[in-house]
Amino acid sequence: MKTRSLGHFDLVVVGAGSAGAIAAITAARSGSEVLVIDRLPFVGGTSTGVLDTFYGFYTPGENAKKIVGGIPDDVVEGLSKFGSMIERPNTYGAGTGITYNPEHLKVVWESLLQKSGAKILLHSLLQEVRVSDGRVTELVLATRAGLCSVKGNYFIDATGDADLSHFAGFGY
């Protein structure tokens, strides 16, 4: 079966959940040509597919202090525009929670990625990782359009299951 090339990128991020999306947005905003890949039909991973509240932006306890900013602030700002986000005070000792509508979060993540200049490839399952001299050089993906390959200078495994590391034969 023939494999179609998707080109060469400065950075390829496998996994478009919160960690992968933030890595891709950061690199793209810094001028890198970025491709972010996910097996799901939407970005956001667990934050959009399973959860409805972010924790960890504030310290736990009664006198919560905000300790996380940057792109998470952009996410919260995007959610607040939908009018469906609330800050919940200290819940079960976990600190202030940001509760949101997961469908709105999908839109926010995708919008932030697009505005950063990152390219997004969804419905794509990692099939093979090509390694040369101990470095990942190319990925082979199963997509709805068939097998595709992508080359890159750098790769980030943000799959949550160490898929890229596993297929590359790296320890994890």
Side-chain angles (χ1 to χ4, degrees):
M1 178 176 249
K2 186 173 172 140
T3 302
R4 181 173 56 98
S5 174
L6 298 177
H8 188 279
F9 294 84
D10 296 325
L11 176 66
V12 179
V13 180
V14 184
S18 296
I22 288 174
I25 291 164
T26 301
R29 285 180 178 177
S30 298
S32 294
E33 189 174 357
V34 178
L35 175 65
V36 61
I37 301 164
D38 204 279
R39 63 183 175 83
L40 297 173
F42 52 84
V43 295
T46 301
S47 71
T48 53
V50 178
L51 301 177
D52 68 355
T53 303
F54 286 122
Y55 290 102
F57 293 0
Y58 298 85
T59 58
E62 301 216 4
N63 297 318
K65 293 182 181 147
K66 190 168 182 303
I67 57 172
V68 173
I71 293 171
D73 283 344
D74 297 341
V75 171
V76 171
E77 180 183 331
L79 287 168
S80 68
K81 290 178 182 175
F82 281 103
S84 62
M85 184 236 33
I86 59 168
E87 283 188 21
R88 293 190 332 205
N90 190 20
T91 308
Y92 307 109
T96 302
I98 308 293
T99 299
Y100 55 85
N101 178 324
E103 295 303 315
H104 293 163
L105 182 57
K106 290 175 186 176
V107 174
V108 170
W109 277 128
E110 188 168 324
S111 174
L112 288 171
L113 282 160
Q114 288 175 337
K115 286 178 184 174
S116 76
K119 305 283 188 277
I120 305 168
L121 182 62
L122 302 174
H123 291 285
S124 300
L125 190 61
L126 189 59
Q127 297 295 295
E128 181 182 348
V129 175
R130 296 184 179 148
V131 176
S132 177
D133 295 325
R135 291 180 53 99
V136 175
T137 59
E138 185 175 14
L139 307 179
V140 176
L141 310 163
T143 72
R144 292 190 171 207
L147 289 178
C148 298
S149 67
V150 60
K151 292 182 179 183
N153 295 335
Y154 300 96
F155 295 82
I156 292 177
D157 186 340
T159 61
D161 293 321
D163 292 345
L164 191 151
S165 295
H166 176 77
F167 278 108
F170 299 155
Y172 53 94

